Amino acid sequence: MGRLLTAVAATAVICAPSAPAHAEPRAQVEGDLEPNLRAAVRQAIGDADRPIENRFEARRRARTAAEDAIAVLRSEGYYAYSVEPDVTEAEPPHPVVRIDPGPRFAIGSADIAWQGTPPEAEVQAEARAVIGFEHPGIPARAIDVIAAEGRILAAVQQRGYADAQAEPREVIVDHADHTMRPTYRIASGPLVRLDGLDIAQAGRTNPDWLRRLAPWNAGEPYDPDDVAELERRLLDAGVYDSVTVALAPPDKTSAAGLRPVVVSLAERKPRTIEAGASYATSDGIGVNARWTHYNRLRRADTLSLFGQVSDRDSRVEADLALPHWRRPQQTLRMGASVYRLETDAYNEDGLGLRADVTRRYGRTSYVTAGVSLDATKSDEKTAGTLSNVGRRLVTAALLGDVLLDRSNDPLDPTSGWRLSARLEPTLIVGDTNLPYLRAVAQGAYYLPLDKEADTVVAARLRLGRIVNGTVDQIPASQRFYAGGGGSVRGFPYQAVGPRLADNTPRGGVFLFESSLEVRRDLTERWGVALFVDAGAVGSSNVVDLGDAAVGAGIGVRYNLGFAPIRVDLATPVARRRGEAPFQIYLSIGQSF
């Protein structure tokens, strides 16, 4: 254990960038400047790439540094400045910039001068409302003045004036009252009304199906959010290598005064074959292969066949996904599978059919409703005699699932939160006849501790309950278990919770899991994480948190750009059943 922790720490140290050598600034900064302003001037001046050879070179560097300092002062609202470049009398001479910033100017008032035909009065009012300089004393920073112009353009374009442009603004700097008064010159152009789609490179996709995805009706005013939503709907289908959606230029306006939206699609290859292999100390060896056919029905559909052989889970599956089924933002998935599961708690052979419909709300929230039917033959042990009992069951289940995702990234979140809830009303018939309800809810929260989100505290809580059934009545494959990489790290799969007399996991009808993780980026690519996981399973009563299994550990993260590779090393805080001293987990994406 000690050697592994040492190796992880050594890896982080080796991969951290070496400290840069001391660099000489191009010029020294003198004067009474507040710390942030001094730092900005110092950064703009920069460092010298070679030593000074003569006094002429020193003066040239001082003048260049003075020009850089003036640019910073003006951008930060200091217009009554005094900047003097100079060199020292020492040998060799050193460039010096003496700065007196003077008072900081404030934004006095801001106005919009419409160029050409102005937009509607309501649009003019909205544009003035987003300028954002209502409060007196706002520093006259160039970046804020420019940002206000961007907000004006966005507000105008949002109301249908797609060709709105900003012409050179007029800025009056008044040294008498130390104010700046910007006037924005905005040419709104005419109101743009949308037509249908102008499809380029449609490939195998049915153009009529594509046109039904447009979230507007012909004649409605242009809205950039609608154009972005169409692009999102096409990307959601997952069958295109690239998608480009843009408003057609003005010369494409129809006789009725409508402008089409141009859609360019690059379709991926119609068929792909994937293969994979895996190994885990708890799961053993596994190999799998997937054959996928895209757009076979010419409506961005995906048909896949999947086969897997492993020590724990072997199966053959066929799946069909129909995005934007019957209406946009709604996906129908249907599938069939034949499987064999071999776990410490049970063995099960089954044949399953399923169908569900998922509807997206906003960008990252989903509601799913579905139905499934499984015929299974299972082998599990009884609690009293420990004898093997085989059960033949037909299981019919409904599914309701809700996901609210307000995090900033699906694979590597650094802020925001997620909430999900899943209800499965189920009926089993056969050797056991029983209706029951399986419910699971989970929440996660992400708190950045600094502006750049280099350090993030992440927390997770998961609760589960099966209503109207005892442990012995509920099929073993439907009970709750805990332990493993996505549950309680430090413990093997199904290792947390009640056991039979021969140490076989029994599962339960109550579930509690929680995680607390501190993630720290060391460099642009490398990071580390410290974590504590806890979990408990109850077989008859609500879980006893005093009996919860707790695991702790350290992880290394390598950022691939879209998500991190995660390597976690975890150990049980207390080994109660002879668990291994540590577990290692490798995956892509954060643990939650």
Side-chain angles (χ1 to χ4, degrees), residues 16 36 43 261 293 313 396 414 438 444 501 537 545 553 562 568 571 592:
N36 290 339
Q43 183 178 12
V261 171
H293 195 141
D313 183 351
T414 58
R438 194 174 192 270
V537 175
L545 298 183
F562 63 92
D568 287 339
T571 183
F592 60 91

Side-chain angles (χ1 to χ4, degrees), residues 25-27 29 36-47 68-69 72:
R26 283 198 297 140
V29 178
N36 290 339
L37 181 60
R38 179 180 293 275
V41 171
R42 171 69 180 81
Q43 183 178 12
I45 290 175
D47 297 326
D68 293 336
V72 173

Side-chain angles (χ1 to χ4, degrees), residues 293-340:
H293 195 141
Y294 300 103
N295 226 351
R296 187 179 183 86
L297 304 179
R298 303 184 64 216
R299 40 103 65 241
D301 52 281
T302 301
L303 173 65
S304 65
L305 300 176
F306 176 77
Q308 175 174 282
V309 178
S310 72
D311 293 342
R312 187 180 299 281
D313 183 351
S314 299
R315 63 180 56 236
V316 176
E317 294 181 339
D319 293 280
L320 175 64
L322 301 177
H324 310 300
W325 177 70
R326 298 181 67 87
R327 58 186 298 184
Q329 300 176 220
Q330 187 166 275
T331 300
L332 171 65
R333 292 181 176 87
M334 298 177 288
S337 60
V338 179
Y339 52 88
R340 177 172 178 78

Side-chain angles (χ1 to χ4, degrees), residues 310-561:
S310 72
D311 293 342
R312 187 180 299 281
D313 183 351
S314 299
R315 63 180 56 236
V316 176
E317 294 181 339
D319 293 280
L320 175 64
L322 301 177
H324 310 300
W325 177 70
R326 298 181 67 87
R327 58 186 298 184
Q329 300 176 220
Q330 187 166 275
T331 300
L332 171 65
R333 292 181 176 87
M334 298 177 288
S337 60
V338 179
Y339 52 88
R340 177 172 178 78
L341 307 176
E342 296 178 306
T343 73
D344 294 339
Y346 61 90
N347 295 332
E348 184 174 81
D349 297 320
L351 169 65
L353 301 173
R354 64 188 180 281
D356 60 67
V357 176
T358 299
R359 177 149 181 84
R360 173 169 63 85
Y361 291 91
R363 295 186 178 183
T364 54
S365 297
Y366 300 87
V367 174
T368 300
V371 60
S372 64
L373 183 66
D374 286 82
T376 60
K377 177 183 177 183
S378 63
D379 184 11
E380 57 192 74
K381 291 184 177 181
T382 60
T385 63
L386 298 181
S387 59
N388 289 329
V389 175
R391 285 204 284 184
R392 294 179 180 271
L393 297 173
V394 174
T395 303
L398 301 177
L399 166 65
D401 189 277
V402 178
L403 170 64
L404 299 177
D405 189 346
R406 296 296 182 268
S407 65
N408 63 333
D409 191 286
L411 293 177
D412 189 15
T414 58
S415 64
W417 52 268
R418 296 172 181 166
L419 289 176
S420 64
R422 185 181 182 94
L423 296 177
E424 296 178 82
T426 305
L427 173 66
I428 55 175
V429 295
D431 293 339
T432 303
N433 299 313
L434 179 72
Y436 62 90
L437 173 66
R438 194 174 192 270
V440 179
Q442 177 168 292
Y445 184 74
Y446 310 94
L447 176 65
L449 298 185
D450 52 78
K451 186 176 181 181
E452 293 76 21
D454 289 333
T455 302
V456 176
V457 176
R460 176 184 72 99
L461 178 64
R462 185 170 185 250
L463 302 173
R465 174 75 167 99
I466 296 177
V467 180
N468 192 42
T470 65
V471 172
D472 294 332
Q473 292 175 317
I474 303 299
S477 60
Q478 293 295 304
R479 301 171 192 166
F480 291 120
Y481 302 89
S487 176
V488 183
R489 287 165 287 186
F491 294 84
Y493 178 65
Q494 295 182 340
V496 174
R499 302 275 186 130
L500 300 179
D502 65 349
N503 210 33
T504 298
R506 190 184 185 197
V509 294
F510 293 91
L511 173 69
F512 164 81
E513 290 178 357
S514 66
S515 299
L516 180 65
E517 190 165 287
V518 180
R519 305 165 183 169
R520 172 68 180 177
D521 290 337
L522 301 177
T523 69
E524 184 178 351
R525 290 292 185 184
W526 290 93
V528 297
L530 299 175
F531 58 85
V532 177
D533 294 343
V537 175
S539 58
S540 57
N541 297 315
V542 177
V543 295
D544 181 4
L545 298 183
D547 191 43
V550 180
I554 185 172
V556 175
R557 308 289 187 263
Y558 180 77
N559 189 0
L560 297 173

Side-chain angles (χ1 to χ4, degrees), residues 196-220:
L197 303 185
D198 183 359
I199 301 171
Q201 303 171 359
R204 302 184 303 273
T205 306
N206 184 341
D208 292 335
W209 179 82
L210 276 175
R211 290 188 174 92
R212 289 197 293 270
L213 297 184
W216 66 82
N217 296 316
E220 291 183 356

Side-chain angles (χ1 to χ4, degrees), residues 137-168:
I138 297 176
R141 300 171 68 238
I143 190 172
D144 293 332
V145 174
I146 296 172
E149 185 175 78
R151 291 194 296 271
I152 294 170
L153 281 176
V156 174
Q157 292 170 349
Q158 195 80 31
R159 292 298 301 270
Y161 294 85
D163 302 319
Q165 293 182 343
E167 297 184 0

Side-chain angles (χ1 to χ4, degrees), residues 2-26:
R3 292 180 180 178
L4 284 170
L5 289 175
T6 302
V8 171
T11 300
V13 171
I14 290 172
C15 296
S18 58
H22 177 70
E24 180 75 16
R26 283 198 297 140

